[in-house]
């Protein structure tokens, strides 16, 4: 059983707020625009400070990685939107103490009869990628969906497709909604479907090579109960695999 | 030995397809996977196929075969329930309801209308499974190495001869259009390398841990022993055990040393090799092997070096390198690792460029003052191979097998030629142990 993941305690005092430079400037009381400008600057400063205070209560989500495991000789990966293997994980902030609320939650899928494995493996907390630890769905576009049981504020997601052989999954789209059928109120938080083959609009996110590090995805603090993740095969074959999905949020 | 392991799959594929279709359309206009539509048709003249062994390689072959029209999958056979389930469910999604068997004799007894078997079991079972299928009247595609020993491989050729059935060995590069272009056009017709004098090849892999298994699907001890495995660890990591396979030089080298023999139209006259089980404490077979072959060809002697290392992917993974006095061809299944180099003394290759045998990728770099040493050879002009394989690597070889069954093609890696090509590979481990040069006799290559 995997342990819940948490955002690290906020790093305090690391950065100075970018305050307006008026204090260092000579008074410009004669300027008719000065008061308006000053008011604007103070407002901006207040907003910025509020953001900074909010951000100061948060820390980057850091995923726990399973041990790396690669077998065989990799198949060449050719995708037009493939990011560098050295690309770092994005920085996704979450309040201290936020944990993986997807752990143990019910999973449904467009493929109700997986080729191998069970849908429960998606949220069982185990990120190993060997036989017996992943679920393989049919070829073509498929989705898995996690029911968080009630609406939560979602800060980020961790996603592991399959990582014992190097490959990139195609048309990865992650959506959040309070509607179980995803017909309304849908927020897309990740989309690397560069040619809009799934019909959700062309995505600007990059495809990436699966490793034991998976993928960290920012969730824009969206309030939602359901998480749906799409893919359409991978660069080694047409199948869709899920090892684990983590959802960092709070109710 | 047999037991009634026949099982049937619950659920109707059509109902599942409808579910998927409806779900995806509701989700936002997602297209239905084309394979589902393809599986609904059932044209006449199909080839009835059984899959024997559904591990990693068996699944790769299955994926490739699903792209080949005219096949009707009838049965899967594997001693592991986990793999049987995989094959059965995967084929159900493609519209094929297949029977699953643990034991091949049980399958051959009950499945009476099979035309062909795809054997992708561990090496120690290749000869037995192939011979059983051939004698049952099936054509066989068997993965390489043909067998664990040269005697077992010879028995496969003899059985194919006796039964008159086709035996294709899984040396899939022989059906790869890039390799065929290299052999037929670049080497034979254009003679791009000039006189080939040396070969080099490697398959280097980075460190990999032992393979595990889902504990809840472990095979019971009695069944494992009945099929030759001490335990699940051996069953899952059979490539590293001496009673079960020939190790990395057999598993990986078989692909590329076969290319040496094919492109030279010759078989080695001697082999010298060094290797050891140096890195992995729990693995029996040599984890690194370096081999030197000597060939006598119609144009003179050729010396070939091959290495397989399993602790590093250094040198770009896997490739074969044909070196001659006018040029060299570095060749790989991975196009990014392939390149042709022209020696300055070679006659013009413009004719071959015009015929699209090759394309020039880089002009030779101009002479620079920064040259390190006046004796250093100038950089060579570089060329590319303008032929692409737009299918999974195993698909053309499987297509060749099924075309041969229909009488429309000749096998590209039949048992007779594959046996001759593998004789030199079988003896590498023997040469490592002997620590001396081993000579081949013409009779070694005869069946």
């Amino acid at each position: 059983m995997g342990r819940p993941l948490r955002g690290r305690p906020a790093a305090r005092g690391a950065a100075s707020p970018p305050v307006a430079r008026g204090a260092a400037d000579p008074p410009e009381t004669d300027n008719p625009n000065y008061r308006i400008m000053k008011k604007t600057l103070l407002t901006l400063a207040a907003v910025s400070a509020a953001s900074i205070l909010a951000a100061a209560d948060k820390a980057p989500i850091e995923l726990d990685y399973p041990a790396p495991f690669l077998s065989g000789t990799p198949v060449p990966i050719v995708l037009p939107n493939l990011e560098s293997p050295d690309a770092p994980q994005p920085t996704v902030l979450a309040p201290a103490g936020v944990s993986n609320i997807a752990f143990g939650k019910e999973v449904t899928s467009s493929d109700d009869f997986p080729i191998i494995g069970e849908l429960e493996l998606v949220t069982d907390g185990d990120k190993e990628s060997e036989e017996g630890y992943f679920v393989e769905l049919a070829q073509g576009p498929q989705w898995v969906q996690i029911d968080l049981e009630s609406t939560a504020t979602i800060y980020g997601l961790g996603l592991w497709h399959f990582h014992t052989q190097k490959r990139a999954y195609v048309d990865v789209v992650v959506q959040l909604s309070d509607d179980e059928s995803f017909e309304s109120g849908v927020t897309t938080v990740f989309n690397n479907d560069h040619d809009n083959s799934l019909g959700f609009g062309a995505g600007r996110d990059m495809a990436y090579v699966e490793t034991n590090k998976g993928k960290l995805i920012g969730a824009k603090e969206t309030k939602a109960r359901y998480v749906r993740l799409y893919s359409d095969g991978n660069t080694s074959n047409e199948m869709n695999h899920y090892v684990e999905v983590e959802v960092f949020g709070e109710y | 030995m047999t037991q009634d392991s026949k099982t049937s799959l619950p659920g109707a594929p059509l109902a599942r397809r409808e579910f998927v279709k409806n779900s995806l359309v509701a989700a936002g206009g997602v297209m239905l996977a084309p394979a589902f539509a393809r599986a609904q048709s059932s044209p006449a003249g199909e080839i009835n196929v059984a899959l024997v062994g559904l591990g990693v390689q068996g699944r790769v072959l299955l994926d490739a075969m699903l792209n080949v029209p005219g096949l009707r999958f009838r049965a899967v056979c594997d001693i592991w329930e986990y793999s049987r389930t995989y094959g059965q469910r995967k084929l159900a999604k493609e519209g094929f309801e297949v029977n699953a068997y643990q034991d091949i004799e049980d399958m051959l007894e009950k499945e009476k209308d099979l035309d062909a078997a795809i054997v992708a079991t561990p090496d120690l079972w290749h000869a037995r499974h192939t011979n059983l299928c051939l004698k049952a009247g099936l054509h066989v595609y068997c993965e390489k190495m043909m067998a664990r020993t040269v005697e077992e491989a010879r028995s496969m050729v003899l059985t194919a001869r006796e039964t008159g059935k086709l035996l294709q060995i899984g040396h899939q590069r022989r059906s790869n259009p890039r390799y065929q272009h290299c052999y037929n056009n670049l080497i034979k017709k254009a003679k791009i390398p000039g006189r080939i004098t040396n070969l080099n090849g490697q398959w280097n892999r980075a460190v990999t841990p032992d393979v595990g298994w889902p504990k809840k699907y472990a095979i019971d001890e009695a069944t494992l022993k009945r099929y030759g495995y001490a335990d699940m660890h051996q069953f899952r990591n059979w490539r590293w055990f001496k009673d079960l396979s020939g190790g990395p030089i057999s598993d990986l080298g078989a692909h590329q040393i076969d290319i040496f023999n094919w492109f030279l139209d010759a078989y080695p006259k001697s082999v010298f090799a060094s290797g050891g089980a140096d890195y992995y404490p729990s693995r029996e077979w040599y984890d690194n092997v370096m081999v030197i072959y000597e060939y006598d060809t119609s144009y003179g002697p050729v010396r070939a070096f091959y290495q397989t290392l399993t602790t590093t992917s250094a040198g770009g993974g896997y490739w074969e390198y044909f070196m001659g006095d006018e040029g060299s061809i570095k060749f790989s299944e991975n196009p990014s690792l392939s390149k042709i180099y022209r020696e300055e003394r070679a006659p013009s290759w413009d004719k071959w460029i015009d015929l699209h045998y090759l394309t020039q990728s880089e002009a030779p770099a101009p002479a620079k003052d920064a040259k390190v040493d006046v004796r250093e050879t100038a950089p060579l002009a570089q060329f590319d191979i303008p032929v692409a394989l737009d299918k999974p690597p195993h698909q053309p070889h499987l297509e060749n097998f099924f075309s041969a069954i229909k009488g429309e093609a000749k096998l590209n890696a039949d048992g007779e030629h594959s046996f001759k090509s593998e004789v030199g590979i079988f003896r590498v481990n023997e040469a490592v142990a002997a620590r001396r040069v081993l000579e081949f006799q013409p009779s070694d290559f005869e069946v």
Side-chain angles (χ1 to χ4, degrees):
Chain A
M1 180 185 299
R3 60 190 170 85
L5 297 175
R6 299 175 180 82
R8 286 187 169 179
R12 298 178 187 279
S16 300
V19 293
R21 50 188 291 273
D25 293 339
E28 298 184 43
T29 51
D30 295 338
N31 186 332
N33 294 324
Y34 176 69
R35 291 186 181 182
I36 297 172
M37 187 168 70
K38 183 181 177 184
K39 186 176 179 181
T40 304
L41 286 172
L42 286 172
T43 303
L44 287 172
V47 170
S48 177
S51 300
I52 291 159
L53 281 173
D57 290 334
K58 297 174 183 172
I61 295 172
E62 293 197 5
L63 303 179
D64 275 351
Y65 301 140
F69 189 118
L70 279 173
S71 64
T73 299
V75 174
I77 298 173
V78 180
L79 285 175
N81 60 336
L82 188 67
E83 74 178 13
S84 163
D86 301 323
Q89 294 275 24
T91 299
V92 178
L93 298 177
V98 162
S99 61
N100 170 25
I101 58 175
F103 176 70
K105 296 295 195 303
E106 183 185 14
V107 180
T108 53
S109 173
S110 55
D111 183 356
D112 62 336
F113 194 55
I115 294 171
I116 206 72
E118 300 84 26
L119 292 172
E120 291 81 2
L121 294 170
V122 177
T123 55
D124 71 343
D126 196 328
K127 302 168 194 166
E128 297 298 325
S129 188
E130 275 208 74
E131 296 285 1
Y133 296 100
F134 63 86
V135 60
E136 178 173 321
L137 309 177
Q139 68 180 57
Q142 302 288 353
W143 52 258
V144 295
Q145 181 169 317
I146 302 166
D147 180 1
L148 301 173
E149 297 178 351
S150 61
T151 300
T153 301
I154 302 173
Y155 297 92
L157 300 97
L159 168 60
W160 286 261
H161 282 113
F162 187 74
H163 52 83
T164 60
Q165 293 169 336
K166 276 191 177 179
R167 60 185 64 187
Y169 283 79
V170 179
D171 298 344
V172 175
V173 175
V174 181
Q175 295 181 333
L176 311 175
S177 180
D178 260 343
D179 177 3
E180 186 176 10
S181 65
F182 278 74
E183 292 174 352
S184 63
V186 175
T187 300
T188 299
V189 295
F190 188 87
N191 182 351
N192 68 20
D193 177 10
H194 65 93
D195 58 0
N196 192 27
S197 55
L198 292 184
F200 300 125
R204 294 187 176 182
D205 293 304
M206 301 287 278
Y208 58 94
V209 176
E210 292 290 337
T211 69
N212 64 311
K213 295 181 179 179
K215 188 70 178 176
L216 178 61
I217 295 168
K220 307 173 185 176
E221 301 190 17
T222 304
K223 294 186 187 308
R225 172 174 168 175
Y226 301 97
V227 179
R228 186 179 279 195
L229 305 101
Y230 290 85
S231 62
D232 187 2
N234 64 83
T235 51
S236 286
N237 58 43
E238 297 178 88
M239 314 314 288
N240 299 280
H241 308 88
Y242 287 89
V243 169
E244 192 71 16
V245 175
E246 296 181 327
V247 178
F248 298 92
E250 57 189 3
Y251 296 107
Chain B
M1 187 168 175
T2 61
Q3 63 177 0
D4 188 8
S5 53
K6 179 177 175 180
T7 55
S8 59
L9 188 70
L14 276 177
R16 198 203 67 81
R17 284 199 293 274
E18 283 304 307
F19 175 85
V20 172
K21 180 179 177 182
N22 293 337
S23 302
L24 291 173
V25 169
V30 177
M31 298 290 287
L32 179 66
F36 296 142
R38 180 192 65 218
Q40 293 177 41
S41 61
S42 182
E46 293 174 319
I47 297 172
N48 293 315
V49 180
L51 308 178
V52 183
L54 282 146
V56 172
Q57 188 63 14
R59 296 179 199 181
V60 167
L61 297 178
L62 171 54
D63 281 343
M65 279 187 285
L66 289 172
N67 299 322
V68 180
L71 305 184
R72 187 180 181 200
F73 298 95
R74 303 301 302 269
V76 296
C77 180
D78 198 296
I79 71 165
W80 197 15
E81 180 191 0
Y82 185 82
S83 291
R84 289 198 301 273
T85 302
Y86 180 93
Q88 212 173 15
R89 289 187 180 179
K90 173 115 183 185
L91 286 165
K93 286 184 184 300
E94 300 290 338
F96 299 101
E97 281 197 67
V98 302
N99 297 318
Y101 299 87
Q102 182 188 71
D103 193 280
I104 190 170
E105 288 165 311
D106 188 23
M107 181 188 81
L108 293 173
E109 183 183 330
K110 291 177 178 164
E111 299 286 336
K112 293 300 183 188
D113 57 353
L114 294 174
D115 299 309
I118 308 298
V119 176
T121 47
D123 288 356
L124 80 157
W125 285 104
H126 281 182
R128 177 165 175 74
H129 290 162
T130 296
N131 288 333
L132 281 170
C133 290
L134 289 169
K135 288 175 181 173
L138 278 60
H139 304 292
V140 175
Y141 179 111
C142 178
E143 265 305 334
K144 55 82 217 158
M145 290 282 281
M146 290 179 72
R148 186 184 43 174
T149 67
V150 70
E151 292 77 16
E152 289 176 348
R154 186 177 272 115
S155 78
M156 296 161 71
V157 178
L158 287 170
T159 307
R161 276 188 197 167
E162 291 163 5
T163 59
K165 294 298 173 184
L166 297 173
L167 173 58
Q168 172 99 309
I169 305 301
H171 294 289
Q172 81 271 5
R173 284 166 175 75
R174 292 219 179 204
S175 298
N176 185 317
R178 298 179 69 248
Y179 279 78
Q180 290 178 336
H181 173 74
C182 180
Y183 175 75
N184 294 319
N185 296 331
L186 299 182
I187 290 180
K188 289 294 170 190
K189 199 173 292 181
K191 299 186 178 3
I192 290 296
R195 178 187 156 179
I196 295 174
T197 54
N198 296 88
L199 312 183
N200 199 345
Q202 71 168 48
W203 196 319
N204 292 347
R205 277 181 170 170
V207 168
T208 56
D210 288 347
V211 178
W213 64 94
K215 300 301 178 280
K216 63 182 176 181
Y217 292 111
I219 303 172
D220 67 89
E221 191 176 323
T223 302
L224 285 167
K225 286 192 168 22
R226 191 160 76 243
Y227 288 100
Y229 309 99
D231 50 31
M232 275 303 287
H233 180 258
Q234 264 203 11
F235 172 67
R236 294 285 290 149
N237 296 276
W238 56 269
R239 287 178 170 84
W240 291 103
F241 290 89
K242 291 188 173 180
D243 285 345
L244 311 179
S245 82
I249 189 65
S250 162
D251 189 40
L252 303 175
H255 286 292
Q256 298 169 290
I257 296 166
D258 176 57
I259 299 302
F260 287 2
N261 301 330
W262 177 30
F263 282 14
L264 292 179
D265 285 333
Y267 303 105
K269 67 171 186 176
S270 70
V271 59
F272 177 71
S274 177
D278 300 336
Y279 185 84
Y280 300 98
S282 63
R283 297 179 180 180
E284 290 182 357
W285 267 125
Y286 310 129
D287 52 51
N288 67 106
V289 180
M290 299 177 178
V291 188
I292 296 173
Y293 288 110
E294 292 177 324
Y295 289 83
D296 277 338
T297 72
S298 58
Y299 43 84
V302 174
R303 191 162 286 109
F305 173 75
Y306 180 80
Q307 70 174 11
T308 181
L309 311 178
T310 59
T311 54
T312 175
S313 60
Y318 58 111
W319 39 259
E320 305 91 50
Y321 207 151
F322 292 79
M323 293 170 275
D325 58 354
E326 294 180 356
S328 300
I329 306 175
K330 185 182 181 188
F331 213 65
S332 173
E333 275 194 316
N334 183 345
S336 68
L337 300 177
S338 304
K339 192 66 76 177
I340 301 172
Y341 303 94
R342 180 178 177 276
E343 297 284 337
E344 287 192 49
R345 67 186 295 274
S348 171
W349 287 354
D350 289 350
K351 173 185 174 184
W352 308 117
I353 293 173
D354 292 342
L355 288 172
H356 304 293
Y357 279 22
L358 43 75
T359 55
Q360 183 150 14
S361 58
E362 290 180 35
K368 294 279 188 184
D369 294 338
K371 204 169 181 177
V372 175
D373 188 305
V374 293
R375 293 162 296 184
E376 185 178 339
T377 303
L380 300 180
Q382 299 182 24
F383 300 79
D384 290 317
I385 301 161
V387 177
L389 173 63
D390 58 357
K391 299 174 180 178
H394 297 269
Q395 188 175 329
H397 205 46
L398 288 156
E399 289 173 340
N400 172 249
F401 173 59
F402 294 117
S403 294
I405 291 175
K406 294 178 192 170
E408 299 168 353
K410 184 180 171 187
L411 291 177
N412 288 333
D414 64 78
E416 307 254 357
H417 286 88
S418 296
F419 172 80
K420 291 177 189 296
S421 190
E422 290 191 6
V423 164
I425 307 165
F426 280 118
R427 297 201 72 185
V428 171
N429 287 327
E430 186 185 336
V432 171
R435 302 184 69 80
R436 61 181 176 81
V437 176
L438 303 182
E439 306 285 344
F440 291 97
Q441 302 303 318
S443 59
D444 292 335
F445 299 96
E446 295 171 2
V447 178

